[in-house]
Amino acid sequence: DAGITQSPRYKITETGRQVTLMCHQTWSHSYMFWYRQDLGHGLRLIYYSAAADITDKGEVPDGYVVSRSKTENFPLTLESATRSQTSVYFCASSESFRGRETQYFGPGTRLLVL
Amino acid sequence: TQLLEQSPQFLSIQEGENLTVYCNSSSVFSSLQWYRQEPGEGPVLLVTVVTGGEVKKLKRLTFQFGDARKDSSLHITAAQPGDTGLYLCAGVGGFKTIFGAGTRLFVKA
């Protein structure tokens, strides 16, 4: 299906485990983003990527790792999950980033760290 | 640190009422976007305003960008139950998009 998809949709893990959240888009958009959404904080940018093999930190990057070997995929890895990383994670993509473009969001991954 | 403050945080109104949601910052943005998010889904863009003082209308929704490009408002006329959702404003500047915490709107039939 066309669009932006995330997997898994729900994940329960334990403190200290490594977790990878997947994001795939079919539009060949250059830019991709990872956000986390928590009550009272809105969406906060974790990492973004301007193109394959180009990534940069956002507002809250600590504890997360990203890669982008292919334009369409942008996985987010929690190297050693902590309870504070319990959140809803959204991936987004946009054609470019000059200030007016639409960011298209995936359906989100709900992560619970026990 | 750039911040976008939205008010109110929560709004529960009857069908047919009017409402206004505010988005304020001390920072200047290149543009201001409004998104709507339904439970279990990602945000969906409603509008982008770019010019200070700009007003855009989308059916019963009216969006305004402040003259100084630091604030914005969303006005809904004759709200309907289908308007229920989380409304997020987002300020775009440089290579950053800063999101407000959102206004959760519930419209009762």
Side-chain angles (χ1 to χ4, degrees), chain B residues 11 14 26 28 32-33 35 39 41-42 44 48-49 51 56 63 65 74 77 85 88 92-94 99 103 106:
Chain B
L11 195 53
Q14 289 292 139
S26 58
V28 175
L32 200 295
Q33 298 180 319
Y35 287 80
E41 298 181 8
V44 176
T48 300
V49 284
T51 307
K56 279 193 174 178
F63 305 86
F65 201 10
L74 158 60
T77 304
L88 298 162
V92 184
F99 283 85
T103 294
F106 182 65

Side-chain angles (χ1 to χ4, degrees), chain A residues 56-74:
Chain A
D56 206 350
K57 296 178 180 179
E59 183 184 357
V60 289
D62 293 343
Y64 303 95
V65 174
V66 293
S67 62
R68 194 160 175 215
S69 57
K70 292 184 178 182
T71 300
E72 61 267 29
N73 296 323
F74 191 37

Side-chain angles (χ1 to χ4, degrees), chain A residues 29-69:
Chain A
H29 283 168
S30 296
Y31 282 82
M32 295 188 75
F33 309 85
W34 273 107
Y35 294 91
R36 59 178 289 173
Q37 186 174 36
D38 304 287
L39 277 176
H41 288 280
L43 287 158
R44 291 182 290 175
L45 182 65
I46 304 170
Y47 270 95
Y48 68 99
S49 169
D53 297 322
I54 301 175
T55 62
D56 206 350
K57 296 178 180 179
E59 183 184 357
V60 289
D62 293 343
Y64 303 95
V65 174
V66 293
S67 62
R68 194 160 175 215
S69 57

Side-chain angles (χ1 to χ4, degrees), chain B residues 3-72:
Chain B
L3 285 175
L4 268 176
E5 295 186 359
Q6 282 189 243
S7 61
Q9 293 182 9
F10 181 80
L11 195 53
S12 180
I13 61 173
Q14 289 292 139
E15 182 177 4
E17 292 184 3
N18 301 332
L19 67 116
T20 302
V21 175
Y22 299 94
C23 178
N24 296 294
S25 176
S26 58
S27 302
V28 175
F29 294 104
S30 300
S31 65
L32 200 295
Q33 298 180 319
W34 285 92
Y35 287 80
R36 181 175 163 216
Q37 184 179 14
E38 304 213 22
E41 298 181 8
V44 176
L45 181 69
L46 294 173
V47 77
T48 300
V49 284
V50 179
T51 307
E54 182 177 1
V55 176
K56 279 193 174 178
K57 291 192 175 184
L58 192 67
K59 295 183 180 178
R60 294 175 294 100
L61 277 61
T62 301
F63 305 86
Q64 184 162 8
F65 201 10
D67 291 340
R69 305 208 317 274
K70 293 182 180 181
D71 55 86
S72 181

Side-chain angles (χ1 to χ4, degrees), chain A residues 3-21:
Chain A
I4 183 164
T5 56
Q6 292 183 237
S7 61
R9 292 294 312 276
Y10 303 90
K11 178 72 177 178
I12 300 174
T13 191
E14 295 177 337
T15 302
R17 290 192 181 264
Q18 184 179 82
V19 177
T20 296
L21 310 183

